[in-house]
Amino acid sequence: MSNPEIRELEAFLALADELHFGRAGERLYLSQSRISQLLRALESRIGGRLVDRTSRRVRLTPLGEQLHAGLRPAFDAIVETIDGVREAARGVGGVFRIGFQGTANDPFMRAVTAFRDGHPDCAAEIVEIPLSDPFGAVLRGEVDAAVVLMPVRDDALVLGPVFSARPLTLAVSDRHPYARRPGIDAEDLAGCPLIGVSGAAPEYWRLAQAPAVTPGGRTIPAGPAVSSLQEGLALVRADRGGMLLCDPTADYYGSHAVAFVPVTGLPESSLALVWHRNHETARTRGFARALADVTGAAR
């Protein structure tokens, strides 16, 4: 029996990742029917079914799970080796542009340094991306990867290491009644308009940064919407509302006119590295490894 062709393996791995024939096809710029054809060819070579497909769901068979577990790391290693050799043949490492939201915190900068040390022929550039458009720069190809606030629910993006899970604080004017408290519960947010995020950020992401209701179902008043963190803090100082921030950001932007009050009862804030599913390179994977190593995040 002949060995599988590379395109069959690519189609299987894309389908294993997406569990959807249409999305697997989009990822490889192939039609859904072509993905099905490649899968059938691979199953014929192997001699068993790799995928169960119904009208509602796609899932790997036990044989498919076994193939995926062994094939994925080997395939990634091959792709990375080829990318590295191709870059060496060109004699240049290129430029790797990394976006970040808010502040370039210590773990992020240590990862950038580690990446530069491991890729001396690659120029790593860091770029601030707007609070109001967390994913746009990646989707438009303006940066190769970006560190953004969670959550991330875009099928075009790969979610890399998730790190820096920290409690939330409420930034309020030092004139606000909550400023004198040692802490508040999430239900207390019903008594403070929350400054939200405007612009191109998806609604689910904006609601995660400024929820409309408390965990108990009480309405949280909507405050002004801003496009940058600095603009939000200016409105906080003007007593136009409160703003939810993770405590490292609160420490970084500490101000005599702003109080940062710990909030209990809300999920922690986390950062994540994301990149475009169709634009992954060896440099992308190299930076993801550097970030995971520095932060201890799962790869």
Side-chain angles (χ1 to χ4, degrees):
M1 184 177 294
S2 60
N3 290 324
E5 296 181 359
I6 190 70
R7 206 57 168 162
E8 294 168 4
L9 299 179
E10 286 180 327
F12 169 73
L13 289 172
L15 187 58
D17 290 342
E18 302 290 348
L19 297 178
H20 189 282
F21 279 80
R23 289 197 297 270
E26 291 174 2
R27 181 168 168 177
L28 298 178
Y29 300 100
L30 298 174
S31 66
Q32 184 170 326
S33 61
R34 180 59 176 155
I35 295 292
S36 297
Q37 182 184 23
L38 290 167
L39 177 66
R40 288 195 299 270
L42 180 60
E43 289 177 329
S44 177
R45 294 179 196 275
I46 287 177
R49 293 187 63 185
L50 301 172
V51 172
D52 281 333
R53 179 182 185 181
T54 69
S55 59
R56 289 191 170 186
R57 63 184 299 185
V58 175
R59 65 181 179 182
L60 297 181
T61 65
L63 192 65
E65 291 176 351
Q66 180 182 350
L67 177 62
H68 182 256
L71 179 61
R72 168 55 76 189
F75 190 88
D76 287 348
I78 291 172
V79 171
E80 185 168 350
T81 298
I82 292 173
D83 284 347
V85 172
R86 182 185 294 119
E87 291 175 2
R90 291 173 179 167
V92 294
V95 176
F96 186 66
R97 292 170 61 82
I98 313 157
F100 69 94
Q101 273 191 303
T103 60
N105 63 16
D106 180 61
F108 172 74
M109 292 308 302
R110 284 191 286 120
V112 171
T113 299
F115 175 78
R116 285 172 172 163
D117 291 344
H119 300 75
D121 294 331
C122 179
E125 297 181 355
I126 59 173
V127 180
E128 184 175 3
I129 57 178
L131 182 68
S132 58
D133 192 12
F135 312 129
V138 176
L139 295 173
R140 293 188 297 270
E142 297 168 2
V143 297
D144 299 291
V147 170
V148 298
L149 282 164
M150 287 287 281
V152 178
R153 301 175 194 156
D154 191 317
D155 291 337
L157 298 176
V158 176
L159 180 63
V162 178
F163 63 102
S164 288
R166 301 296 295 270
L168 285 168
T169 66
L170 180 68
V172 292
S173 162
D174 58 4
R175 302 184 302 279
H176 194 281
Y178 289 174
R180 294 182 290 276
R181 294 194 188 183
I184 63 170
D185 182 77
E187 296 303 314
D188 293 322
L189 295 176
C192 179
L194 281 186
I195 295 170
V197 181
S198 62
E203 183 179 15
Y204 77 82
W205 189 89
R206 287 187 280 110
L207 286 174
Q209 315 313 320
V213 294
T214 69
R218 301 174 66 194
T219 299
I220 300 175
V226 299
S227 60
S228 70
L229 183 57
Q230 291 77 7
E231 183 183 351
L233 287 172
L235 291 177
V236 168
R237 285 192 289 270
D239 208 15
R240 296 284 305 281
M243 194 172 189
L244 288 172
L245 301 172
C246 64
D247 56 6
T249 302
D251 290 342
Y252 187 87
Y253 285 100
S255 167
H256 69 279
V258 177
F260 296 95
V261 186
V263 181
T264 58
L266 289 178
E268 291 184 317
S269 172
S270 297
L271 298 171
L273 180 70
V274 298
W275 61 87
H276 198 292
R277 191 173 296 281
N278 294 333
H279 302 155
E280 183 175 316
T281 67
R283 294 191 294 268
T284 311
R285 293 188 290 273
F287 183 72
R289 283 195 301 272
L291 187 60
D293 289 343
V294 164
T295 62
R299 295 184 184 179

